Amino acid sequence: MKAGKRTLLLLALTAVLSAAPVWACTTLIVTVGATTDGSTFVGHSDDDDLCDQRIVYVPAADHPKGARRPVYASAVALGEFPKFRCFLTPRLVDPDRAPAYGGPAALRSVPLGFIPQVPHTYAYFDGSYGIMNEHQLMFGECTDGVRQNLDPEPGKRIFYSSELSRVALERCRTAREAVRLMGNLLETYGYYGTGETLPVADPQEAWVMEMAPSPDGTGGLWVARRVPDGEVFVAANEFRIRDVDPKDPDLMIGSKLFETARRHGLWKPEDGPLDWLKVASLGEYNHPYYSLRRVWRVLDRVAPSRGFSPWVECGTTRAYPFSVKPDRKLSLRDVAALFRDHYEGTPFDLTAGVGAGPFGNPDRFYGPYDGQGDVGDPKRKLDGAWERPISVTYCGYTTLCQGRSWLPDPIGGVCWIGPDKPSETCFIPFHVGVRDLPPSFQVVDPQVFNRKAAWWAFNFTAHWAWLRYDRIHADIAAKRDGMEASFLRSLEEQDRKALALHRTSPAKARDFLTRADRARADRTVADWWAFADRLIVRYNDGFLNEPGKMAQPLGYPRNWLDGTEWRSGPTTYAPKP
């Protein structure tokens, strides 16, 4: 298909699918010195509920000499590529990679190319992008606008960030090692798709790697910056690295960045330092503050003393630093709360105003009248726009990766998985030393309702909350907060038992973690379904229904009611004047 026709097709598809949720993630890093217990956190909300929502366990494997590793296309880059059997769902069909990636032979994914395989690859958790491996290496991700998006092409461009992160998880133990490997791979084999920000961390160090297709059509452009210990980093669909100084010891730079930028007129030495954001992109996309408002919100919540303003002069502002030291150290619950945000208590509060309806619903439904994809032209006129919160209705899942250096890798690494929207989900912990994940996390298909899938349990309750958000969300929040608190308490005892086993038999420790984590997850999913069923009864027909006290009228908030036609409704038999 010609590039122009493909672009028009993708834009049409985007309009139908409600503002391209595949372009919409938020990601952050909280470094060791910024946490209450010395953990490192990498968080990622995968805002793409049109896509495959499975969290898949990819086992460790040994490979024969001369083996080659296939590299597959990714539908979260630019949409589906049927000729490579690359679809939104399933994202991959290759049983050799993982049992959960099995499927009909007719749907087996077609590689874009191959790279030399290594003798041994590590186990990891996989989603739309690689998440975390058995050595506590962890990833986040967000998509960014770039000056040009390029399709995959065998022999020229075979890597997107999703496969880059997976190869790194298969082969690396540290963040530095992962950045160097991914940079080498994209330069050697070519990078296609969108711009990308990949936070990558281990229990002791954190880096942010950003990448873009090269205007040469081969290779790729990239740069990476270390996040200073004791600080917090956030990105939200816009590049966050700015000046690139080759002498900066906290930077890793693609070998062809300066040469390519100069040759294509994107930068010249007399301009001063190369500004990565301006060289690789036009800044924000979709609409003003689509990205920057989320960056402001996280920075303002973790460091209110800095007094960051939510208003800036343009989409390439320097008002927000790369990272900040928080006013107080953050816990896991603090990090989870950041992802659950709708700007509550600010002038942008989505639980207030006409758009929230009578019951304070922060979710907004996007349509063809909203900004679509990469704006491209920053002068484009928009008729209107919704504020873009961190927690959006079309979020597919959120992961909070936790690295703990004081414990052996199988026990120290914990991936907290929250299916569906973060404000209405419950984060469930899984140690990276497990031998598999529960089937309920590996079988979901967003096209088919399935009570055996964990994702559908949380997706259902999030949607049921729309019926009466003020009350139902409060019920959900109380439920999830109580469960997460119990998980934190039970993990302390579980870790102690696993550590005692690990001292004499690491294999037995892994078996124990697998059984315990699965039992917890199975109980949680079953309990959440039972909770969902109770919510159906509790708020049926707009009433509050309790045993012995059914059909209690709730009505509407008076301040909202007074603004409706209710005020002018029939109160007497006399005709209206």
Side-chain angles (χ1 to χ4, degrees):
M1 183 180 292
K2 292 183 179 179
K5 291 182 178 179
R6 178 176 178 79
T7 299
L8 291 174
L9 177 60
L10 285 173
L11 288 174
L13 178 64
T14 293
V16 172
L17 297 181
S18 302
V22 294
W23 288 70
C25 302
T26 307
T27 191
L28 59 77
I29 291 172
V30 186
T31 56
V32 175
T35 63
T36 56
D37 66 351
S39 295
T40 297
F41 293 110
V42 175
H44 164 64
S45 64
D46 200 68
D47 300 337
D48 59 355
D49 67 358
L50 299 171
C51 296
D52 191 334
Q53 299 306 320
R54 292 176 296 170
I55 305 297
V56 168
Y57 176 79
V58 179
D62 294 316
H63 307 279
K65 185 176 181 180
R68 298 189 304 163
R69 189 224 190 253
V71 177
Y72 296 109
S74 173
V76 297
L78 294 173
E80 297 184 336
F81 296 95
K83 70 177 179 178
F84 301 117
R85 296 179 191 158
C86 169
F87 306 103
L88 293 172
T89 300
R91 63 172 165 260
L92 177 64
V93 178
D94 180 3
D96 295 334
R97 183 170 295 185
Y101 281 139
L107 291 178
R108 181 149 184 164
S109 303
V110 176
L112 290 168
F114 295 85
I115 63 173
Q117 185 57 281
V118 294
H120 179 77
T121 50
Y122 304 134
Y124 63 100
F125 301 154
D126 192 27
S128 296
Y129 306 83
I131 300 170
M132 189 173 189
N133 77 5
E134 61 179 301
H135 295 294
Q136 305 195 67
L137 180 64
M138 45 199 152
F139 275 83
E141 181 276 342
C142 74
T143 302
D144 308 312
V146 284
R147 291 184 177 275
Q148 61 174 353
N149 296 319
L150 297 177
D151 284 354
E153 184 176 338
K156 292 184 69 175
R157 298 179 297 275
I158 69 170
F159 268 108
Y160 184 59
S161 63
S162 51
E163 282 285 78
L164 284 172
S165 63
R166 291 167 186 144
V167 174
L169 289 170
E170 291 167 6
R171 302 182 180 195
C172 302
R173 292 173 179 250
T174 70
R176 281 179 182 261
E177 184 185 3
V179 170
R180 291 192 183 102
L181 174 64
M182 291 187 293
N184 179 264
L185 289 172
L186 74 84
E187 289 190 353
T188 303
Y189 296 97
Y191 178 81
Y192 70 92
T194 63
E196 284 286 290
T197 294
L198 291 183
V200 53
D202 55 57
Q204 296 178 321
E205 190 176 50
W207 286 77
V208 174
M209 182 177 185
E210 297 190 324
M211 59 195 74
S214 171
D216 290 335
T218 60
L221 305 179
W222 68 275
V223 64
R225 176 175 288 281
R226 189 179 70 86
V227 182
D229 186 34
E231 299 197 0
V232 175
F233 165 87
V234 61
N237 304 123
E238 183 177 17
F239 290 130
R240 296 281 283 120
I241 297 174
R242 301 304 298 264
D243 291 346
V244 180
D245 180 358
K247 298 179 181 179
D248 188 339
D250 289 329
L251 277 176
M252 284 190 266
I253 304 167
S255 64
K256 297 182 180 180
L257 175 58
F258 288 93
E259 171 197 340
T260 304
R262 184 169 56 248
R263 181 158 30 84
H264 287 273
L266 301 174
W267 168 83
K268 51 185 181 295
E270 51 267 35
D271 293 337
L274 184 149
D275 184 338
W276 165 254
L277 171 67
K278 290 186 175 181
V279 164
S281 78
L282 295 171
E284 281 192 290
Y285 68 91
N286 203 300
H287 63 71
Y289 295 106
Y290 180 85
S291 301
L292 291 171
R293 192 79 80 211
R294 283 176 282 158
V295 171
W296 164 79
R297 182 57 166 162
V298 170
L299 297 183
D300 187 62
R301 286 192 65 173
V302 303
S305 65
R306 296 286 296 271
F308 292 112
S309 172
W311 303 105
V312 296
E313 73 284 0
C314 66
T316 57
T317 181
R318 290 180 178 265
Y320 305 134
F322 176 73
S323 59
V324 298
K325 181 179 179 180
D327 288 356
R328 61 176 181 83
K329 294 187 177 184
L330 306 181
S331 68
L332 173 79
R333 302 299 298 277
D334 294 327
V335 178
L338 293 174
F339 279 98
R340 288 168 166 152
D341 190 81
H342 306 102
Y343 303 115
E344 286 87 348
T346 76
F348 319 109
D349 190 344
L350 288 166
T351 66
V354 175
F359 306 126
N361 186 350
D363 291 335
R364 302 291 183 268
F365 307 128
Y366 295 91
Y369 35 78
D370 288 297
Q372 304 293 338
D374 194 339
V375 169
D377 179 6
K379 298 178 181 178
R380 183 184 64 164
K381 182 181 182 299
L382 296 171
D383 293 328
W386 298 112
E387 290 287 351
R388 196 324 193 163
I390 296 172
S391 180
V392 287
T393 182
Y394 51 80
C395 179
Y397 63 82
T398 303
T399 53
L400 306 179
C401 299
Q402 180 181 17
R404 301 179 293 177
S405 62
W406 63 93
L407 290 167
D409 287 340
I411 306 168
V414 179
C415 182
W416 297 76
I417 300 173
D420 202 62
K421 184 186 174 193
S423 61
E424 273 76 60
T425 197
C426 177
F427 287 102
I428 305 169
F430 295 93
H431 292 82
V432 297
V434 297
R435 298 189 187 277
D436 206 351
L437 288 169
S440 64
F441 283 78
Q442 301 190 81
V443 300
V444 62
D445 182 346
Q447 302 170 106
V448 181
F449 184 78
N450 182 1
R451 277 187 173 261
K452 294 182 179 180
W455 184 81
W456 275 113
F458 294 93
N459 179 272
F460 176 84
T461 53
H463 283 76
W464 192 250
W466 295 343
L467 180 70
R468 182 83 200 210
Y469 191 86
D470 54 347
R471 285 179 170 268
I472 298 178
H473 170 72
D475 287 354
I476 292 173
K479 178 72 172 177
R480 73 159 198 234
D481 290 350
M483 297 184 84
E484 290 173 358
S486 72
F487 297 159
L488 287 167
R489 291 191 298 269
S490 66
L491 275 180
E492 293 180 8
E493 179 61 22
Q494 184 181 346
D495 289 348
R496 281 195 293 269
K497 291 180 179 178
L499 185 58
L501 286 170
H502 188 272
R503 292 189 179 109
T504 57
S505 175
K508 288 183 178 179
R510 292 188 63 191
D511 291 339
F512 167 72
L513 291 173
T514 304
R515 292 192 302 270
D517 284 4
R518 175 163 180 178
R520 180 194 299 109
D522 288 347
R523 287 194 305 270
T524 302
V525 174
D527 192 7
W528 206 267
W529 274 122
F531 173 58
D533 292 345
R534 292 194 298 274
L535 288 176
I536 294 173
V537 175
R538 182 170 171 80
Y539 295 100
N540 189 36
D541 289 337
F543 295 106
L544 176 62
N545 302 295
E546 298 174 312
K549 297 175 66 177
M550 299 296 286
Q552 301 173 60
L554 295 175
Y556 296 96
R558 189 63 187 243
N559 61 345
W560 182 86
L561 197 64
D562 287 345
T564 70
E565 61 275 19
W566 176 85
R567 174 58 68 182
S568 59
T571 56
T572 71
Y573 285 98
K576 295 289 184 183

